[in-house]
Amino acid sequence: MSEVIVIGGGAAGLMAAVAAAEAGAHVTLLERNEKLGKKIYITGKGRCNATNACEPDAFMKSVVKNPRFLYSALNALPPSAMMEWLQNNGCPIVVERGDRVFPESQKASDVTRAFERALRRLNVNVRLNTRVQSVDARDAAVTGVTLENGQQLKADAVIVCTGGQSYQSTGSTGDGWKWLEAHGHNVFPALPSLVGLTSDAAWVRELQGLSLKNVKLTLTRGKKKLYTELGEMLFTHFGVSGPLILSASAYVTELAPEDVTLAIDLKPGLSAQQLDARILRDIAAAPKKQLGNLLCGLFPARLAETMAAVCEIDPAKPAGELTKEERARLVANTQALVIPIDGTRSLNEAIVTRGGVSVKEIDPSTMESKLVRGLYVAGELLDVDALTGGFNLQIAFSTGLLAGRNAAAGALPLHPAKGI
């Protein structure tokens, strides 16, 4: 029986341990925290958006960085199989808006418990509060790991699943990258992704706490459209956040803020002509009404004030005195309210990390290092990330399964059975 060590008890590590054990290996799972799945507990605001039930093509379009690297992993464990696995392991699921999959209980802990039951059933040796100092190798082949207390553990294969550098309080401090760099791997710098965007525009910050629903965000770079989607956003003390903004940030993080334009269509269901006609009808119905009050019928009150200022329109004047040029500015800004952004929030606030181990150095069909035999990598350590909606957790589960399965199958036992 081959000996497999999995480092990290997050989404990728849990699935890697289960897959390796199911494939017949003796598995030891090392976790630095006092419990497994610490980051899982905080995903989806504590509900755990475990995967996304969309079609394969739609899934791949939601992967922002290196989607082609994931073909084998997602074929080995597609979202449909992940959903089935959860249900078969005592975690009923529900599919919500946007094909987002959650535990029926709405508790992230139920996802972790499903894995804990599987680990017990498969006799995986789980060691909590255990920190790894290094991954050991000789002659370009893994030999095991050394713990911080100096103890050495021998292994035929080691799967590193320690996560990126987002939410460092959960234990994701980038240690895995250091170990991989020590064995010759190239690691791209860690950058925040799925994170709030900052703005120094006074009017943006003055709208703090205002949530907008059913608006359409479009992010462009020059004439190229990088991202567009309908959904929700939130104005904050630092700029903007919310589902639309988090997804848009995945395209901003590697670019200079001044190179992109973020615009919001506040009335995506109306064409320019329909919007203009709507404004004219409102004016005709109450021509003496102050323009600021009239705009409250079109926007939330706080936003109405802002729109008047952005469009350089006096909110105190009668609506009937709105000029054609002013009306044109109002229509244009309603359909494309440009929000100035100057950067992103910090990596520690990011949901996922952009950057990581170069996928050119990892075999996409096995997740094994091309530089060190028996060394496998899965999850957020890889330079792969996606939009919000359960895609990143699915990537962790899929790469974890592929790594675990192949680590068990490809490892040569340290102690062959007699007669072999």
Side-chain angles (χ1 to χ4, degrees), residues 69 160 180 185-186 356-372 375-378 381-384 399 402-403:
F69 175 79
V160 186
L180 294 166
H185 280 280
N186 288 305
V357 178
S358 171
V359 296
K360 294 179 180 179
E361 299 168 353
I362 304 296
D363 186 337
S365 64
T366 64
M367 296 297 135
E368 185 176 22
S369 165
K370 294 179 180 179
L371 307 182
V372 181
L375 176 59
Y376 295 79
V377 185
L381 285 172
L382 298 162
D383 186 23
V384 180
T399 55
L402 201 57

Side-chain angles (χ1 to χ4, degrees), residues 10 31-33 38-39 42 161-177 347-348 351 353 380-381:
E31 168 56 47
R32 65 183 291 174
N33 290 309
K38 200 162 185 179
K39 189 179 283 188
I42 62 174
C161 307
T162 52
Q165 285 185 309
S166 58
Y167 290 119
Q168 293 190 19
S169 61
T170 64
S172 297
T173 54
D175 291 347
W177 287 327
L347 184 59
N348 200 41
I351 294 175
T353 306
E380 203 176 351
L381 285 172

Side-chain angles (χ1 to χ4, degrees), residues 140-177:
V142 155
T143 59
V145 303
T146 299
L147 305 183
E148 281 194 348
N149 63 10
Q151 182 184 4
Q152 291 185 319
L153 304 179
K154 299 297 182 183
D156 307 296
V158 173
I159 309 173
V160 186
C161 307
T162 52
Q165 285 185 309
S166 58
Y167 290 119
Q168 293 190 19
S169 61
T170 64
S172 297
T173 54
D175 291 347
W177 287 327

Side-chain angles (χ1 to χ4, degrees), residues 208-280:
Q208 175 184 345
L210 177 65
S211 177
L212 299 179
K213 297 182 178 181
N214 299 316
V215 295
K216 186 177 183 180
L217 179 150
T218 301
L219 185 73
T220 55
R221 185 186 188 191
K223 294 183 178 180
K224 184 179 180 182
K225 188 181 294 183
L226 300 177
Y227 173 74
T228 184
E229 189 59 75
L230 187 73
E232 302 176 17
M233 63 165 288
L234 172 71
F235 289 92
T236 72
H237 66 283
F238 59 77
V240 284
S241 190
L244 282 178
I245 299 298
L246 296 181
S247 285
S249 74
Y251 298 89
V252 174
T253 191
E254 290 184 317
L255 301 174
E258 60 269 20
D259 290 344
V260 298
T261 300
L262 191 157
I264 304 296
D265 186 344
L266 300 167
K267 297 291 178 182
L270 300 177
S271 66
Q273 294 76 16
Q274 291 171 326
L275 182 58
D276 190 47
R278 159 76 187 274
I279 295 170
L280 286 171

